[in-house]
Amino acid sequence: MKQPSLSQLRAFAAVAEHLHFRDAAAALGMSQPALSGAVSALEEALGVQLLERTTRKVLLSPAGERLAVRAGAVLDAVGELMEEAEAAQAPFTGVLRLGVIPTVAPYLLPTVLRLVHTRYPELDLQVHEEQTSSLLEGLAAGRLDLLLLAVPLGVPGVVELPLFDEDFVLVAPREHPLVGRSDLPREVLRELDLLLLDEGHCLRDQALDICREAGRTEGTPVTTTAAGLSTLVQLVAGGLGVTLLPRTAVKVETARNASLRTGDFAAPAPSRRIALAMRAGAARQSEFEELAHALRDAMRRLPVRVATGADEAARAARS
């Protein structure tokens, strides 16, 4: 059995609808001989007589009645396929699966969601909050389209679109001698009772890197009992130690407890970079780059240093 063509199916469907070759040909904008030839070719391809032709009218054969329904369904499905393909060509439509790390999600998602709802109302944004390793696995497997997380990642095949840099802030009980200062040297971290997140959080690794740079020895104990920043801050409020928070989290987390205060580090303060990350060669790369540009503008109201054109050029050079 030969494979029928779409043009043959359209010809047969038109004849089945009009039961008249001339009317069917007019509806399709083709000649009557061409229409008749297409239907005959379909009958030959299927090995089935579809029509009963008389000098006065056209009738569907029993097989033709059954196959006319199937032909209509095929043509409807093809039409839906074409509509979906056309919609896919429009930027910022359809589903976008965004992965976000826990130390970013509560503080940046309000800005991200406000931007998407206002500027990209046809975009179906689906948010997945996971740790960095899980997000990268999801990106590689195609489960996620785009990530919002701390960089650099150093992962081959992943392109980073820098958004901003933000400083770390020391959070301590209000009576602590280091709070209220804006000139803290990093060396103060060497002997403090430091509270950090559990294993697996990139913020924990970043804080430990800062401590090592400050000269904190590996043997200096670090209490690790918190799965999230909210719990971490409450442990500080309870007098168990101090911690480091990214500046975007400070207002949200410290506002819950009047017994907490902060101290700022002397310049250059320890900091982290937040970026979007996508697969190299992603089909929606230009769309993601435009989104990154829009997010940079939206995040200028936050206590961060928005990435510049030089940052983007450096990223492009590395990728």
Side-chain angles (χ1 to χ4, degrees), residues 34-274:
L35 177 72
S36 179
V39 174
S40 296
L42 178 62
E43 290 179 314
E44 181 181 351
L46 298 177
V48 176
Q49 182 180 346
L50 301 172
L51 304 175
E52 295 179 5
R53 300 166 177 84
T54 70
T55 56
R56 302 181 60 180
K57 60 182 177 180
V58 176
L59 297 176
L60 291 174
S61 69
E65 291 181 355
R66 294 167 55 190
L67 293 178
V69 176
R70 295 289 188 182
V74 170
L75 293 172
D76 288 343
V78 170
E80 293 172 0
L81 173 67
M82 298 304 293
E83 290 176 2
E84 188 69 25
E86 183 177 355
Q89 295 177 18
F92 299 105
T93 59
V95 175
L96 174 58
R97 298 162 298 182
L98 177 68
V100 190
I101 56 175
T103 59
V104 161
Y107 320 112
L108 297 187
L109 279 181
T111 299
V112 174
L113 296 177
R114 186 163 49 246
L115 172 70
V116 170
H117 291 159
T118 301
R119 187 173 297 191
Y120 312 116
E122 300 301 316
L123 187 65
D124 180 9
L125 183 66
Q126 299 178 0
V127 177
H128 302 261
E129 185 184 46
E130 302 168 22
Q131 293 185 8
T132 299
S133 59
S134 178
L135 292 180
L136 289 171
E137 290 173 1
L139 185 69
R143 178 173 61 83
L144 299 173
D145 304 309
L146 192 63
L147 308 181
L148 178 59
L149 72 180
V151 297
L153 299 168
V155 177
V158 175
V159 176
E160 300 168 8
L161 303 174
L163 297 178
F164 63 82
D165 296 310
E166 64 175 329
D167 293 339
F168 282 101
V169 175
L170 183 72
V171 178
R174 62 183 308 162
E175 68 276 5
H176 198 283
L178 297 179
V179 300
R181 293 177 56 179
S182 59
D183 60 347
L184 293 176
R186 298 190 188 201
E187 288 72 22
V188 298
L189 296 172
R190 292 177 179 174
E191 303 298 333
L192 291 174
D193 294 326
L194 192 63
L195 302 172
L196 298 178
L197 293 175
D198 290 336
E199 295 281 354
H201 289 275
C202 62
L203 185 58
R204 171 191 171 89
D205 297 331
Q206 292 162 351
L208 289 174
D209 287 342
I210 294 169
C211 290
R212 280 190 287 268
E213 292 171 2
R216 189 182 181 101
T217 63
E218 295 289 343
T220 305
V222 174
T223 303
T224 307
T225 55
L229 291 184
S230 296
T231 302
L232 197 63
V233 168
Q234 293 310 309
L235 293 175
V236 173
L240 297 186
V242 302
T243 194
L244 295 173
L245 286 187
R247 191 170 291 279
T248 52
V250 170
K251 183 176 180 180
V252 173
E253 299 300 343
T254 61
R256 301 171 182 173
N257 199 313
S259 66
L260 294 171
R261 292 190 64 191
T262 62
D264 294 338
F265 290 91
S271 63
R272 71 172 181 174
R273 168 161 289 190
I274 300 300

